[in-house]
Amino acid sequence: MSGTVTLSCHAKLARVVLDNRGPLSPAEVASEARIDEDEARDALAELAEVGLAECVCGVCATREQVYQLREDAAESESAGDAV
């Protein structure tokens, strides 16, 4: 990932939640971040779009996606990227 990525407030919040508690489903991110589930889905999609998060699996019974931060996302944060 090159350059600075500008994230929405919800995406920044979802990134922190995933960093602290992940991997999580959109519903779990919404609960932890105290945001609407649709906002959590949008935030996770935004993180995935810029390469900071990835969908790692789906629960078979509910087919709910679960996201986690990518390994290189954690490295970039420790290198000085502000959340």
Side-chain angles (χ1 to χ4, degrees):
M1 181 174 78
S2 64
T4 302
V5 176
T6 302
L7 298 173
S8 69
C9 291
H10 288 134
K12 290 177 185 178
L13 187 56
R15 181 178 178 179
V16 170
V17 168
L18 287 177
D19 190 38
N20 292 329
R21 308 274 301 177
L24 298 170
S25 71
E28 293 168 323
V29 170
S31 177
E32 288 289 325
R34 291 182 171 42
I35 59 175
D36 184 83
E37 195 169 333
D38 288 334
E39 293 170 330
R41 274 193 197 90
D42 291 344
L44 291 167
E46 184 179 342
L47 290 174
E49 186 177 305
V50 298
L52 294 176
E54 61 189 349
C55 184
V56 292
C57 67
V59 178
C60 294
T62 62
R63 298 180 198 249
E64 187 169 42
Q65 295 176 325
V66 177
Y67 289 83
Q68 72 178 13
L69 286 182
R70 291 175 45 126
E71 292 294 323
D72 54 349
E75 292 169 10
S76 70
E77 184 175 322
S78 64
D81 286 350
V83 176

